[in-house]
Amino acid sequence: MEDKVMKVNLRVWRQAGPKAKGEFVTYEGVETTPDTSFLETLDILNEMLVERQEEPIVFDHDCREGICGMCSLYINGHPHGPATGATTCQLYMRRFRNGETITVEPWRSAAFPVIKDLMVDRNAFDKIQQAGGYVSFNCGGAQDANSIPISKVQADEAMDSASCIGCGACVAACKNGSAMLFVSAKINQLSRLPQGAVERDRRALAMVAKMDELGFGNCTNTGACAAECPKNIKMANIARMNREFIAAKCRK
C-alpha cells in the first residue's frame, strides 16, 4: 500500500553567510508522506530547488540515527521540533498536519554563529571539551564487570550524563543562551567515576572558564534546556557541576 501523500509549506530561514542579512522564504506545497522524516522532506525540497535551478537549502546532518546531534534545526519554536526525546532526524512528518506551515530556523545563539542558511558553527562545544572533557592518563583496557569499586547508582548516573550528544539544543532553548546543561553533563560523566576523579578540580575550573570565555549566558534555572534535550539530560547535573566548581575553587 502506498503511503498517503501530504503537502506542507516550509517557511525556511535563508542566509547567504555569517555577515549577510537573512530572511524567511516560504516554499509552498512540498509533497511528502507521514512516514517520511523531516530531514528527508528537506531533501525533497532541495531536489525541487535544484530542478528549478535555485540554490538548495544548507542544513547540517550526518548519521540520521539520533547519535551525532548535527541535525540542529529549530522547528516551530522547538529545538529539534515538537517531538520529545528525539533529534530532528528522528522527527517524522506525521507530527504535522496536512497543509500546515512549518517554520524552520537555525540555532539562535551568539556562541553559535550562522554559517549559511540553517547551518551554525558549533565549534564552541569542541573548545569546551578540549579544555577538560577527558582524562589525561592511560586507563588501560575495559575492566571486568564489578571489578571497579563503584556503586551501580553512580555508574548509571555517569552513563546518563555521557549520553549527551552535544547538539546544542539546550543552548538554543535557553533564553540566556546558556551551555550549563552540556558542560555539566560532560563534567559529571567523568567526575562520577574513579578514572575521572583525579583531575576533577582542574576539569571543572577549566571547562567553566572556557564556557564563560566563549560568550555563553548564565543559567537562571528555567528548565527549558532539560525540557528540550533530545537525550533527556537532567538538570541535577547543573547542581552537581556548581558543587564541583565551588569545591575546586576552595581547594585551589
Side-chain angles (χ1 to χ4, degrees):
M1 182 181 294
E2 293 186 359
D3 291 331
K4 182 180 178 181
V5 175
M6 61 184 291
K7 291 185 178 182
V8 293
N9 305 317
L10 295 177
R11 182 170 174 260
V12 181
W13 182 261
R14 302 301 307 264
Q15 185 171 337
K19 296 182 180 180
K21 183 179 179 180
E23 63 178 354
F24 283 106
V25 178
T26 301
Y27 302 96
E28 297 183 351
V30 179
E31 287 192 1
T32 184
T33 69
D35 293 331
T36 299
S37 75
F38 195 86
L39 291 188
E40 289 171 334
T41 299
L42 287 180
D43 290 337
I44 292 170
L45 172 57
N46 274 343
E47 289 176 3
M48 291 170 51
L49 294 177
V50 171
E51 288 177 0
R52 297 193 321 223
Q53 296 186 336
E54 297 179 29
E55 189 171 359
I57 298 163
V58 174
F59 62 95
D60 219 346
H61 63 93
D62 190 6
C63 72
R64 300 203 178 199
E65 295 179 348
I67 298 171
C68 71
M70 292 180 69
C71 52
S72 47
L73 299 181
Y74 208 83
I75 304 168
N76 283 353
H78 295 276
H80 291 300
T84 57
T87 53
T88 302
C89 61
Q90 296 172 305
L91 176 68
Y92 290 89
M93 298 308 295
R94 53 180 170 267
R95 285 274 179 177
F96 305 97
R97 301 185 307 275
N98 189 24
E100 182 177 351
T101 296
I102 305 167
T103 300
V104 191
E105 305 171 71
W107 283 171
R108 300 292 191 182
S109 172
F112 293 156
V114 173
I115 297 174
K116 188 173 183 180
D117 294 339
L118 303 175
M119 180 183 287
V120 300
D121 183 353
R122 293 181 298 146
N123 281 333
F125 271 11
D126 295 332
K127 293 176 182 178
I128 293 173
Q129 277 284 87
Q130 291 162 7
Y134 54 85
V135 293
S136 59
F137 59 91
N138 189 356
C139 295
Q143 299 289 325
D144 293 334
N146 299 321
S147 65
I148 298 177
I150 179 173
S151 69
K152 186 177 186 304
V153 173
Q154 278 186 287
D156 287 347
E157 288 179 350
M159 184 61 71
D160 289 344
S161 297
S163 66
C164 170
I165 56 177
C167 66
C170 51
V171 178
C174 179
K175 64 180 182 179
N176 305 320
S178 173
M180 292 282 274
L181 192 68
F182 164 76
V183 177
S184 65
K186 296 305 176 184
I187 287 175
N188 289 319
Q189 76 176 70
L190 295 172
S191 65
R192 303 291 290 176
L193 301 174
Q195 297 95 327
V198 177
E199 300 173 289
R200 65 193 310 170
D201 286 358
R202 183 198 60 78
R203 179 182 303 111
L205 294 173
M207 293 184 75
V208 171
K210 181 59 68 173
M211 174 183 67
D212 292 340
E213 176 191 325
L214 292 170
F216 289 100
N218 293 320
C219 175
T220 49
N221 295 311
T222 60
C225 55
E228 299 288 1
C229 176
K231 296 301 177 181
N232 299 312
I233 303 298
K234 298 176 182 177
M235 279 190 69
N237 279 293
I238 298 176
R240 293 195 191 102
M241 183 192 73
N242 287 335
R243 289 198 296 270
E244 292 274 338
F245 180 77
I246 293 170
K249 276 286 191 183
C250 293
R251 286 192 288 261
K252 188 176 179 182

